[in-house]
Amino acid sequence: MNFALQYPIFGPEILCPHCRQTIPALTLTDTYLCSRHGAFEADPQTSELVHLQSSRHWCLWEGEWYRQHTHPDGIRFEIHDALDKLYTQGYRATKVIIAERYRELIGGYLVGFGENLISDTDSVKENHHSRTESTDRSILPRLFGLPVEFSPESTTEPCWKVINFNLETEPGIPIQYPYFRMSP
């Protein structure tokens, strides 16, 4: 008997996407059970992990779980949380790169997002225009005071099918992050 067939697609145990504790698979099922967060079901068709209580979906990329968002507040909260963590590590973000698949979902929350924006490929094509005209048309949208770009398509860079965003960083404290307030 092949023991691998007794476990869900991710093997006999995984790290819980919420608390990062090792959680066991239930044999002869597609389920993993976390004592703190409940049951997660592995979907062999999509290779996603679904939290049964909340219906949140997670995908695995290079050993890390990434939640797949269906509402703009989820991705905004995740970016906000990552910015807070950066600050505690002595870094600041200089740019947010969001997965292209979230462009429509989060577009309404970006300051400056609209028709007057052009993509990086468009700005390369339009290099022959005057500098002022090009600069006016290529203003990047902003989120939490940071410039936002969207990732390449996941067909060219497969990681963007799973990961949600990336922060470009540099050492230092945040400069004018409107979301960050020091406690008295």
Side-chain angles (χ1 to χ4, degrees), residues 83 86 92-96 146-147 167-170 177:
L83 291 169
L86 271 181
R92 65 175 162 238
T94 57
K95 185 190 306 182
V96 181
L146 295 168
L167 297 174
E168 288 187 5
T169 64
E170 64 185 17
Y177 282 179

Side-chain angles (χ1 to χ4, degrees), residues 26-76:
L26 302 177
T27 55
L28 302 175
T29 71
D30 287 325
T31 306
Y32 295 90
L33 189 58
C34 176
S35 60
R36 292 176 62 193
H37 297 102
F40 292 87
E41 189 169 276
D43 184 341
Q45 302 297 321
T46 63
S47 297
E48 290 185 338
L49 190 67
V50 180
H51 186 236
L52 295 179
Q53 291 172 311
S54 67
S55 296
R56 291 181 176 148
H57 291 238
W58 302 80
C59 288
L60 190 63
W61 182 262
E62 295 184 355
E64 193 75 29
W65 289 107
Y66 293 89
R67 184 169 159 210
Q68 305 304 295
H69 298 283
T70 56
H71 191 276
D73 287 345
I75 183 106
R76 288 175 60 233

Side-chain angles (χ1 to χ4, degrees), residues 116-118 130-140:
N116 63 331
L117 301 176
I118 57 176
S130 74
R131 184 175 180 184
T132 344
E133 182 183 13
S134 179
T135 304
D136 290 343
R137 292 190 59 215
S138 63
I139 299 168
L140 291 174

